[in-house]
Amino acid sequence: MTNALLRNARLIDPEAGTETLGWLRIEGGQIAEIGAGPRAGGIDCQGAYLAPGIIDIGVKVGEPGERHKESFRTAGRAAAAGGVTTMVTRPDTATPIDTPEVLEFVTRRAQEDAAVKVRPMAALTKAREGREMTEIGFLIDAGAVAFTDGDAVTTDPKVLSRCMTYARSLGALIVGHPQDPGLSLGGAVTSGKFASLRGLPAVSPMAERMGLERDLALVEMTGVRYHADQITTATALPALSRAKAAGLDVTAGISIHHLTLNAFDVGDYRTFFKVKPPLRDEDDRVAMVSAVRDGLIDIICSMHTPQDEESKRLPFEAAASGAVGLETLLPAALRLYHAGALSLPELFRALALNPARRFGLAGGRLQPGTPADLVMFDPDIPYVLDRFALQSKSKNTPFDGQRMQGRVLRTWVDGAVVFDRQNGAQA
Amino acid sequence: MHRGRAMTFSQTHLLGIENLHPVEITTLLDRANAYAEAERGSREHGQPLKGLTQINMFFEASTRTQASFEIAGKRLGADVMNMAMAASSLKKGETLIDTALTLNAMHPDLLVVRHPHSGAVKLLADKVNCAVLNAGDGKHEHPTQALLDALTIRRAKGRLHRLVIAICGDIAHSRVARSNIHLLGKMENRVRLIGPPTLIPAGAADWGVEVYGDMAEGLKDADVVMMLRLQKERMDGAFIPSEREYFHRFGLNAEKLSFAKPDAIVMHPGPMNRGVEIDGNIADDINRSVIQEQVEMGVAVRMAAMALLAENLRARRAA
């Protein structure tokens, strides 16, 4: 059923920055019409919020190579249950996505199994080794929406500058991981009183600013379109602000974990809180929330990184990094709303509108003529999160056992329901 | 009777100093002192660990600490077994937790563990139902070392409060320093850290200590001078320009020691690098150095720790 009328819904329009009680009509999988006020017929949303589906950039799926951690089927289910209608996937898989052939495999697997849209990113250099650039042109033809080596930071500026120059000629977007590779080597937590007391190898927050400054200098030199995957420290913000003011084509993102957790959450070596870059001090977290509100940081994502139990049941230094986040992205983001830090339109600007704009995708808006990728949610439902209730194959969430407020009720992709909490239906 | 004990030392494991109450520290030191006196006077101290199995698991090479735990266990009647884990199952890919579960199935009563990763001993302790003693985890804690240092200080100075104690050298890589900072702080002493800034951990100034970069200033009026070993094996790059420059600026010799109180004692957790962090003449000066007494107190403190944990273990099992 790709025709529907949804009435009595609070429509969140991140473009206009408004919340309006009204209705929305879906026809042929697209948003056909939107209006304010009451309307007869269709589905009564009973005052629930209706927003553009989340576009989560930087999702890691375990295919190819680590399907035991996450498959397109389980990632798709988790996405649908979390109100994510498009996953922009990462190429840092066990077999890196660095050739058109591997990219085609991924696209085919996604089409077969994923309940939501999948738009893959490809590696910037072969095997993510930072030596030779990938076939950027072929990869764009095969559907790559951006190029990144993920956390394997290219150490050689000459290689990176050539990649950028070449990418620019094709209009490709490069996603960088701003961390100075030398300073951040081996760091498991952010340096400071806590890390030192716990005796953990630590990295100075300055590594992020150094990585960003270097990348921005090369962006200025080459003119490439650049997105910093995660900016998590206040010390990096002035550089970002200057680059934007100077007219460079630069955007920045942050993971939801860095907006809602801090370094102290690691506590007694809890490895589910080990992420890359490491969680920061509370001062930094607060500064990042402000930066999202001000629009200096453009995009919030989950940095969904599935890890199996074995890779987390290790001493902190030896444990794998990363947390799953597709399903908890919106409930965690709603903490910022409940805390009064961000309005719902501001949240969806960072969760849906900005990623759509930056990655050239059609969704992310409540606009007639755009795909009916939608999420309906109630921001007030309270519950205690149980990690084993998550749809992801891997259960490594830092929010296990925590009180959450807000749940996705229903998710549509191209007008079709892919998740419905009430009926337990899952496409 | 057990209730009385539980109130003065209520721990199931000895994982660190951070979670100990000052009363528990005093209880443990009192017991250790009694053992030390009994050993010196060749008096009976009973065999509270008789019938118990103690396994020493050292994932990191150790001679002194392992020997100390072994002797302590044997003097109190435990059946002691040493496992050199560095050469064992880890090489075969077994995880720490599996190793713990395997050992647990053999029903040991006391598990003494040293591991190169911070937090690893706690991870292991969560999975077993015997008493676990941390014999050093990464750069985190080494509780029995801090306790033996405390007992040595208490015996030499007659008290363990209101003393000025300088910990000098490689603080950054030292679990001994961290445990000592916790313990000496809890007992209300003034703790100073002295070392080159590359070997002082980030944020150390927020630990309730005073940080100095100069020995003359830092040692002024100190009651206790605690030297640390330069942990070259834990360093992953250049922290100091050379050993001779380090010795010149931070090595303890008679001249630097003269800034401390005339009756200040000199301590070192061993093994010493003579001529790097400490002048051999100072280390051997029987009027100042208590380094040999530290080793002696090490056995007594480990006896006390295992005896108290065993009492709590027996009480739990009886309940």
Side-chain angles (χ1 to χ4, degrees):
Chain A
M1 183 188 72
T2 53
N3 292 344
L5 175 66
L6 311 173
R7 67 182 167 85
N8 192 21
R10 286 180 216 282
L11 305 171
I12 299 169
D13 183 342
E15 230 167 355
T18 55
E19 275 177 45
T20 326
L21 192 65
W23 52 270
L24 180 150
R25 192 167 63 77
I26 301 170
E27 194 176 303
Q30 291 197 330
I31 299 171
E33 221 184 332
I34 297 172
R39 176 158 173 167
I43 302 164
D44 182 0
C45 297
Q46 300 179 315
Y49 284 88
L50 191 65
I54 294 167
I55 297 171
D56 191 4
I57 65 163
V59 173
K60 183 166 173 181
V61 179
E63 295 192 49
E66 289 181 312
R67 207 185 287 184
H68 66 287
K69 290 187 177 177
E70 191 83 285
S71 66
F72 276 105
R73 182 182 301 275
T74 53
R77 279 187 186 159
V84 174
T85 53
T86 300
M87 298 190 285
V88 175
T89 56
R90 293 192 339 233
D92 56 340
T93 38
T95 304
I97 301 167
D98 60 355
T99 63
E101 289 76 11
V102 180
L103 192 76
E104 277 160 18
F105 166 83
V106 166
T107 309
R108 181 161 46 79
R109 286 285 307 126
Q111 275 168 358
E112 283 167 7
D113 267 3
V116 304
K117 294 175 182 173
V118 174
R119 296 287 179 270
M121 293 191 281
L124 181 63
T125 66
K126 287 172 186 161
R128 305 197 300 127
E129 284 176 345
R131 286 200 294 268
E132 292 173 75
M133 74 179 85
T134 52
E135 295 170 311
I136 294 174
F138 282 157
L139 284 162
I140 291 175
D141 295 344
V145 294
F147 293 83
T148 182
D149 280 346
D151 59 11
V153 178
T154 308
T155 47
D156 186 343
K158 194 168 265 180
V159 172
L160 186 56
S161 73
R162 286 184 187 136
C163 291
M164 285 180 166
T165 304
Y166 193 86
R168 183 188 186 274
S169 70
L170 296 169
L173 176 69
I174 285 183
V175 177
H177 180 71
Q179 287 293 319
D180 181 81
L183 199 58
S184 63
L185 188 72
V189 287
T190 303
S191 65
K193 175 187 171 184
F194 170 80
S196 299
L197 267 184
R198 286 283 175 272
L200 289 170
V203 51
S204 165
M206 197 56 80
E208 181 170 294
R209 174 169 138 197
M210 288 170 66
L212 182 67
E213 299 259 25
R214 179 197 73 162
D215 283 6
L216 292 177
L218 293 174
V219 169
E220 187 179 330
M221 185 174 116
T222 60
V224 75
R225 299 170 57 219
Y226 178 88
H227 175 75
D229 67 347
Q230 300 183 76
I231 294 297
T232 60
T233 58
T235 181
L237 290 177
L240 181 64
S241 175
R242 278 198 306 275
K244 285 188 168 188
L248 301 186
D249 193 349
V250 167
T251 50
I254 186 168
S255 91
I256 190 62
H257 301 116
H258 291 91
L259 288 175
T260 53
L261 304 168
N262 69 29
F264 283 101
D265 285 309
V266 171
D268 255 345
Y269 305 101
R270 298 196 290 173
T271 57
F272 281 10
F273 292 81
K274 183 175 179 182
V275 294
K276 256 187 193 176
L279 293 174
R280 305 303 192 184
D281 291 343
E282 179 64 7
D283 290 350
D284 278 325
R285 187 194 70 82
V286 171
M288 293 307 111
V289 173
S290 300
V292 171
R293 187 178 52 236
D294 300 343
L296 183 54
I297 289 180
D298 308 87
I299 295 173
I300 302 174
C301 66
S302 72
M303 270 293 150
H304 183 82
T305 306
Q307 298 289 4
D308 55 18
E309 298 289 300
E310 290 314 317
S311 54
K312 284 287 188 182
R313 288 173 68 197
L314 292 170
F316 196 88
E317 289 167 59
S321 297
V324 293
L326 279 166
E327 210 172 328
T328 48
L329 174 55
L330 182 57
L334 287 171
R335 285 183 170 184
L336 303 173
Y337 162 70
H338 290 301
L342 290 170
S343 70
L344 290 173
E346 282 168 338
L347 262 185
F348 278 88
R349 185 182 67 195
L351 289 168
L353 177 64
N354 286 344
R357 281 181 174 158
R358 192 56 173 157
F359 287 77
L361 307 176
R365 303 162 172 85
L366 286 192
Q367 274 290 330
T370 63
D373 297 347
L374 301 165
V375 53
M376 185 168 82
F377 64 97
D378 180 334
D380 294 321
I381 302 176
Y383 58 101
V384 174
L385 192 115
D386 171 11
R387 70 190 183 106
F388 294 107
L390 295 178
Q391 301 290 331
S392 269
K393 206 176 266 188
S394 293
K395 312 292 184 190
N396 55 308
T397 173
F399 297 113
D400 184 42
Q402 292 200 24
R403 289 167 201 279
M404 311 298 279
Q405 202 180 347
R407 265 202 149 135
V408 173
L409 302 175
R410 199 176 294 180
T411 308
W412 292 261
V413 171
D414 286 333
V417 175
V418 293
F419 173 78
D420 186 343
R421 183 168 302 278
Q422 207 169 18
N423 303 322
Q426 184 112 40
Chain B
M1 179 174 175
H2 282 302
R3 181 177 296 169
R5 277 184 191 138
M7 282 174 71
T8 49
F9 190 84
S10 66
Q11 303 289 317
T12 307
H13 309 294
L14 181 63
L15 299 179
I17 300 294
E18 193 178 2
N19 297 321
L20 293 185
H21 191 275
V23 171
E24 293 179 308
I25 293 170
T26 304
T27 301
L28 203 152
L29 295 182
D30 289 347
R31 176 74 69 96
N33 196 51
Y35 283 140
E37 290 302 319
E39 288 288 332
R40 279 193 178 179
S42 302
R43 286 198 304 277
E44 263 306 307
H45 45 54
Q47 297 218 312
L49 302 185
K50 197 162 179 59
L52 299 184
T53 305
Q54 171 192 342
I55 301 182
N56 295 336
M57 291 171 77
F58 280 66
F59 293 88
E60 205 179 59
S62 160
T63 313
R64 310 157 56 94
T65 306
Q66 187 174 335
S68 182
F69 269 108
E70 185 174 354
I71 290 168
K74 284 181 171 162
R75 288 200 179 147
L76 294 182
D79 297 315
V80 186
M81 191 188 134
N82 288 313
M83 293 181 72
M85 301 307 296
S88 170
S89 44
L90 280 198
K91 294 257 163 72
K92 296 176 191 159
E94 189 177 53
T95 67
L96 180 62
I97 287 178
D98 285 334
T99 306
L101 294 177
T102 304
L103 277 177
N104 195 46
M106 300 178 195
H107 300 296
D109 304 291
L110 295 157
L111 214 48
V112 178
V113 187
R114 170 172 286 189
H115 196 282
H117 285 146
S118 304
V121 179
K122 184 196 181 298
L123 182 71
L124 191 144
D126 288 344
K127 305 290 173 190
V128 298
N129 40 32
C130 60
V132 176
L133 290 100
N134 181 2
D137 63 325
K139 295 181 280 182
H140 179 221
E141 282 230 45
H142 190 354
T144 55
Q145 178 71 43
L147 288 162
L148 75 86
D149 288 342
L151 182 57
T152 308
I153 295 169
R154 200 173 81 170
R155 288 168 63 99
K157 291 283 155 199
R159 65 175 199 271
L160 189 58
H161 57 273
R162 297 176 70 93
L163 294 168
V164 176
I165 298 166
I167 306 178
C168 315
D170 185 1
I171 317 283
H173 299 94
S174 176
R175 53 196 174 208
V176 175
R178 285 169 178 76
S179 286
N180 264 313
I181 290 164
H182 283 306
L183 192 152
L184 298 170
K186 278 178 202 279
M187 305 313 277
E188 301 183 6
N189 296 285
R190 274 180 71 183
V191 178
R192 298 177 181 167
L193 306 181
I194 314 174
T198 46
L199 294 176
I200 300 284
D206 298 330
W207 288 354
V209 298
E210 300 156 50
V211 178
Y212 292 88
D214 179 90
M215 289 287 271
E217 278 176 47
L219 289 182
K220 190 169 185 307
D221 297 331
D223 295 292
V224 177
V225 182
M226 200 180 275
M227 301 307 297
L228 295 174
R229 189 169 62 87
L230 199 60
Q231 303 215 24
K232 287 174 272 188
E233 74 279 8
R234 281 184 210 286
M235 295 187 180
D236 57 1
F239 286 85
I240 52 163
S242 72
E243 287 182 1
R244 61 179 190 178
E245 180 163 328
Y246 182 79
F247 182 70
H248 177 70
R249 295 191 59 213
F250 297 98
L252 188 67
N253 57 15
E255 187 208 336
K256 293 192 190 102
L257 185 57
S258 70
F259 293 106
K261 282 195 183 151
D263 61 346
I265 55 169
V266 175
M267 306 178 74
H268 195 298
M272 280 182 283
N273 298 312
R274 285 171 188 257
V276 178
E277 69 257 352
I278 190 163
D279 185 306
N281 292 329
I282 298 287
D284 298 333
D285 181 350
I286 52 165
N287 295 316
R288 308 303 292 271
S289 163
V290 293
I291 295 172
Q292 294 307 315
E293 171 139 340
Q294 285 177 275
V295 178
E296 184 188 353
M297 292 308 124
V299 176
V301 152
R302 285 163 186 135
M303 287 166 77
M306 290 195 287
L308 289 168
L309 289 174
E311 281 168 23
N312 290 348
L313 182 75
R314 287 194 158 119
R316 268 202 320 282
R317 285 179 179 169

